[in-house]
Amino acid sequence: MGVKVDEMMNQRIFLNLLCLTSVTFGALGLSREALAQAGGQKALSSESGFLMVSSDRQVAQTNGSRKSEESPSSFLPADEASLNLDESTLSQVTSVSQLSDVRPTDWAFQALQSLVERYGCIVGYPDRTYRGNRALSRYEFAAGVNACMDRISELLTAATADLVKKEDLLALQKLQEEFAAELATLRGKVDSLEVRTATLEKQQFSTTTKLKGEVIFALAGVFGDEAAGGGELQTNPILANRARLNFETSFTGKDQLRVRIQGRNVTPFSGNVTGTNMTRLSFDGNEGNQVGVDDLFYRFPIGDNTRVWLIANAYGSENIANPLNPFLQSDGSGALSRFGRFSPLYRIVEGPGVALEHKFGDLVTLSLAYRAKNASNPNEKRGLFNGNSSALAQLIFSPSKTFSVGATYAYNYFAGFDVNVSSSTGSAFAQRPFGAVATSTNSYGAIASWRISPQFNLSGWVGRTQANAEAGINRGADATIWNWLVALAFPDLGQKGNLGGIMVGMPPKVSDNDIRARENRDTSIHLEALYRYQINSNISITPGLIVIFNPEHNRNNDTIYVGVVRTTFTF
């Protein structure tokens, strides 16, 4: 008699679960085939002690009693792993004792035993867990229900309808009536979500491209007694801007095609404004806000440790070879000065070309690049190999996550009409050590970064450039150019996301030149301090001060000050 009662109870539990499943999917108007393909964020949840239908109200059916309570969320998001399950992820189990997260003392144990061992239709995970205490995605739930419905279909086909009792059918009808409001609410939410999803699919820009943007508003001005070399400083403050839109496309999930559109009107603080390039801002450039293509490149992996860049326009070499100035490298959120971002060595390697990065495990990274500034121009002393061209190699050693050191080498050839050895960061002599004549350079750099604590990072570099005159009456002349900088960064200063920064260095200086008249006799010192206040994840304000002592490496020049307030919007 006891055995028969147990069998009847097992049948009742099985049929109640089946009814609720059928009612739920009947109300949603979804077939088994549609459910098997569904992978959205809507979820049905099964909890230890009750079966829950996610809607505006949670309704629990426990041993015949009913409880309801407000739900904070009608749809529980499935985790990423649950949205990518395939047949190899789910595995059928043959004994309830294999489901390690269900104890024999649980009320659900007998129900699981009946379903798994009697009907063989509940699906468990390869780690021998049932995971009944978390939300199930529609895909996961449909996989299990599909197996149960197939098994039930077999039973009905085999003419075993006598298993269904009249009183069970009445209970199922009552259950359907009891849950009518909740099921209707759930169906309405699903329909609404499907309509919104269909609308987004029709209106989306691209399935492969993301849009990222950055806008800078800058209030800036210079002040002091005189411009470098004499003359009046242009001390009128400016309010200027720079706007960038990045269209970033990935075809495989591991590659990247970037097209950047840019417009700006930030007047460089050099020339007749200050008399020196040492006062330039990190984000300057003035095209009168005419919009044009800036970055244009395609990056793709080769294996797990190698990345290759095909560069068509712009794209700084500091993005290929890490300059190890992690907190101050960015012109939108880091240093305010052009010189303070990274070594000038990276700036002189520019133009279209090809680059490669290879990681030898976690310790060593090798970066290589070849670029030609006038690669798109076939005229004489231009083109991919006959004009301004450069090659870069860098090796970084990272013995820990907090410390890295690197060595960099760059070779450059500058045609006589476009010589800029210091990339407009140092003195006029450092920019053109021999004047406007063809010049070749070999540059060597050492860089380092040390995260001493979560709130303090020390970084810096030293660079030496050996220049050689390739033409003119001084052909064969040599010059040596040095530069260095030490940077102190204070992440999360004051609150999370903020940044304090102090930079001290020497902009590029010609320390020795066969042409004595173009040798710098004194030493300029670059001092910069800033504080970035992060208003929220999209807006920051960075006030700062740049001070140049002995501009143009000439102690006869008065100190020049640059004040900046940079507001950056990212989206």
Side-chain angles (χ1 to χ4, degrees):
M1 183 67 178
V3 174
K4 189 171 184 178
V5 170
D6 287 343
E7 291 179 355
M8 292 177 64
M9 288 300 296
N10 289 338
Q11 293 173 14
R12 181 179 297 274
I13 292 170
F14 176 81
L15 290 171
N16 273 293
L17 177 61
L18 172 61
C19 178
L20 182 56
T21 300
S22 300
V23 170
T24 301
F25 294 115
L28 292 175
L30 301 173
S31 66
R32 287 184 295 163
E33 290 76 14
L35 285 168
Q37 297 173 359
Q41 294 292 317
K42 292 133 336 251
L44 297 176
S45 173
S46 61
E47 297 285 350
S48 178
F50 64 92
L51 181 67
M52 179 181 72
V53 178
S54 294
S55 65
D56 283 342
R57 299 180 62 82
Q58 294 177 343
V59 183
Q61 185 76 21
T62 309
N63 294 334
S65 62
R66 181 178 181 274
K67 299 185 294 183
S68 69
E69 59 183 339
E70 293 297 325
S71 170
S73 175
S74 299
F75 297 96
L76 300 176
D79 57 19
E80 183 178 351
S82 69
L83 297 176
N84 294 279
L85 296 176
D86 54 25
E87 292 181 0
S88 64
T89 307
L90 294 172
S91 62
Q92 201 89 17
V93 297
T94 58
S95 175
V96 73
S97 61
Q98 293 176 287
L99 302 176
S100 61
D101 61 343
V102 179
R103 298 183 301 274
T105 56
D106 290 343
W107 74 272
F109 187 85
Q110 293 298 324
L112 284 172
Q113 187 175 39
S114 176
L115 292 172
V116 176
E117 298 178 358
R118 180 181 174 89
Y119 299 100
C121 62
I122 294 297
V123 177
Y125 287 81
D127 62 357
R128 299 182 181 277
T129 61
Y130 174 62
R131 304 184 188 177
N133 60 345
R134 70 168 184 85
L136 299 177
S137 72
R138 291 170 63 182
Y139 182 88
E140 290 177 305
F141 194 61
V145 171
N146 191 61
C148 283
M149 296 182 72
D150 287 343
R151 179 56 181 159
I152 293 166
S153 178
E154 293 176 7
L155 291 174
L156 294 176
T157 303
T160 54
D162 57 324
L163 292 175
V164 181
K165 305 299 182 181
K166 181 178 180 180
E167 55 269 24
D168 293 333
L169 293 176
L170 293 174
L172 294 175
Q173 182 179 1
K174 182 178 179 181
L175 183 62
Q176 183 177 7
E177 294 173 353
E178 189 72 20
F179 283 92
E182 287 77 12
L183 293 172
T185 300
L186 180 60
R187 181 179 182 183
K189 287 183 176 292
V190 172
D191 290 344
S192 175
L193 189 59
E194 288 177 346
V195 170
R196 292 171 61 188
T197 301
T199 302
L200 289 174
E201 289 176 349
K202 292 179 181 179
Q203 297 179 350
Q204 65 181 335
F205 171 74
S206 171
T207 58
T208 59
T209 302
K210 293 181 179 180
L211 173 64
K212 296 182 179 180
E214 180 189 76
V215 175
I216 293 176
F217 291 166
L219 176 65
V222 299
F223 50 98
D225 292 332
E226 286 186 335
E232 187 175 347
L233 279 173
Q234 303 297 319
T235 57
N236 289 325
I238 64 170
L239 179 61
N241 67 82
R242 187 188 74 182
R244 286 176 167 177
L245 295 177
N246 288 349
F247 297 89
E248 299 186 348
T249 302
S250 180
F251 303 103
T252 66
K254 295 182 179 180
D255 61 341
Q256 183 184 44
L257 171 67
R258 176 187 289 175
V259 179
R260 171 183 286 171
I261 307 299
Q262 176 177 274
R264 58 185 176 177
N265 66 351
V266 186
T267 300
F269 286 165
S270 60
N272 63 355
V273 178
T274 64
T276 178
N277 284 322
M278 297 180 183
T279 48
R280 289 189 60 176
L281 301 178
S282 62
F283 49 88
D284 68 11
N286 188 359
E287 294 82 30
N289 269 333
Q290 292 186 6
V291 176
V293 175
D294 188 44
D295 281 359
L296 179 57
F297 70 87
Y298 178 61
R299 186 190 71 214
F300 59 93
I302 298 179
D304 296 330
N305 300 318
T306 305
R307 297 190 299 175
V308 176
W309 286 263
L310 302 178
I311 305 165
N313 191 60
Y315 197 63
S317 292
E318 74 278 3
N319 299 301
I320 299 165
N322 189 348
L324 297 184
N325 196 16
F327 294 98
L328 298 166
Q329 173 182 340
S330 169
D331 57 4
S333 60
L336 294 169
S337 69
R338 181 177 177 87
F339 176 62
R341 293 180 59 198
F342 42 77
S343 171
L345 185 152
Y346 300 96
R347 292 187 183 276
I348 59 178
V349 182
E350 59 179 339
V354 61
L356 177 146
E357 177 194 78
H358 181 76
K359 291 183 178 295
F360 298 90
D362 296 328
L363 294 179
V364 179
T365 301
L366 173 67
S367 300
L368 302 171
Y370 174 82
R371 308 183 69 171
K373 186 175 182 180
N374 305 116
S376 62
N377 191 334
N379 292 333
E380 186 180 358
K381 294 185 179 181
R382 290 170 175 82
L384 190 58
F385 301 107
N386 198 32
N388 282 26
S389 58
S390 54
L392 178 145
Q394 177 172 281
L395 199 64
I396 288 182
F397 177 61
S398 302
S400 71
K401 294 182 178 180
T402 59
F403 180 76
S404 295
V405 63
T408 312
Y409 168 77
Y411 170 81
N412 287 79
Y413 176 81
F414 300 93
F417 60 88
D418 190 12
V419 179
N420 195 347
V421 174
S422 64
S423 193
S424 301
T425 58
S427 68
F429 292 161
Q431 182 176 353
R432 296 184 178 92
F434 314 112
V437 299
T439 303
S440 64
T441 63
N442 290 278
S443 300
Y444 310 88
I447 55 177
S449 178
W450 183 18
R451 187 73 178 268
I452 297 175
S453 75
Q455 286 76 41
F456 179 55
N457 189 87
L458 177 65
S459 60
W461 71 79
V462 59
R464 179 180 181 269
T465 297
Q466 196 68 37
N468 181 265
E470 299 288 348
I473 60 174
N474 294 306
R475 183 173 183 174
D478 291 323
T480 302
I481 303 167
W482 287 90
N483 74 91
W484 59 267
L485 183 136
V486 176
L488 288 72
F490 305 90
D492 301 328
L493 182 62
Q495 71 175 29
K496 186 175 179 59
N498 292 356
L499 175 70
I502 299 174
M503 287 148 277
V504 180
M506 182 186 74
K509 169 188 174 179
V510 181
S511 61
D512 182 67
N513 196 335
D514 289 343
I515 305 174
R516 297 300 179 185
R518 301 187 68 83
E519 186 176 303
N520 294 129
R521 304 297 181 182
D522 302 314
T523 300
S524 299
I525 294 296
H526 173 106
L527 175 63
E528 180 176 353
L530 62 85
Y531 182 73
R532 187 186 72 214
Y533 177 68
Q534 197 73 36
I535 297 177
N536 55 44
S537 59
N538 300 104
I539 304 174
S540 66
I541 298 178
T542 308
L545 179 67
I546 304 165
V547 184
I548 306 298
F549 299 96
N550 305 324
E552 287 294 298
H553 300 292
N554 187 343
R555 62 184 176 182
N556 294 320
N557 290 329
D558 294 323
T559 300
I560 300 177
Y561 305 85
V562 182
V564 186
V565 178
R566 178 186 62 200
T567 302
T568 306
F569 305 86
T570 57
F571 54 91

